[in-house]
Amino acid sequence: MTKDTIIVESKTSLKQIKRMPNYLIKKYQIWCNLLVEHGHSILLDFPGYHDEKLQGELADYRSSRLNKQWRVIYSVDQESKVTVINILKITPHKY
């Protein structure tokens, strides 16, 4: 029996998605589909996502790139039969 993966988007992330350009929304949808179909560890197989654990206040979260500027900040909760991906925010990285 394989674990199911569900994605839960915060109110903040839903607002941010509405403001994103269409091409970025499509990239986000592809990102979500990868996680639902293969689990979050699949992101490590794609160096372009540059998926990494965060530090400091966000130590319980991970960051994954949608492109050079935009990031998805999320956490992973492993439950008995379901993996829950909690999307905290989708934001442009400030350089």
Side-chain angles (χ1 to χ4, degrees), residues 12-95:
T12 301
S13 68
L14 290 171
K15 288 178 186 177
Q16 292 164 331
I17 291 167
K18 288 180 182 179
R19 294 186 204 132
M20 289 174 16
N22 284 336
Y23 79 93
L24 208 54
I25 292 171
K26 289 179 184 178
K27 284 187 169 198
Y28 173 68
Q29 290 169 339
I30 291 168
W31 183 88
C32 289
N33 288 339
L34 274 173
L35 270 67
V36 168
E37 291 178 24
H38 303 287
H40 74 280
S41 61
I42 192 73
L43 296 175
L44 299 175
D45 294 340
F46 294 91
Y49 285 119
H50 199 263
D51 190 78
E52 62 188 1
K53 186 166 177 42
L54 295 176
Q55 298 176 356
E57 292 177 17
L58 298 174
D60 294 335
Y61 291 89
R62 300 188 64 81
S63 171
S64 189
R65 290 183 186 173
L66 294 179
N67 66 13
K68 187 175 179 180
Q69 183 180 9
W70 287 81
R71 308 282 190 272
V72 178
I73 309 299
Y74 70 99
S75 66
V76 179
D77 294 329
Q78 303 280 349
E79 297 180 10
S80 60
K81 294 182 181 180
V82 178
T83 299
V84 180
I85 307 293
N86 294 297
I87 308 298
L88 177 66
K89 60 184 173 180
I90 304 168
T91 183
H93 186 72
K94 296 181 176 130
Y95 290 98

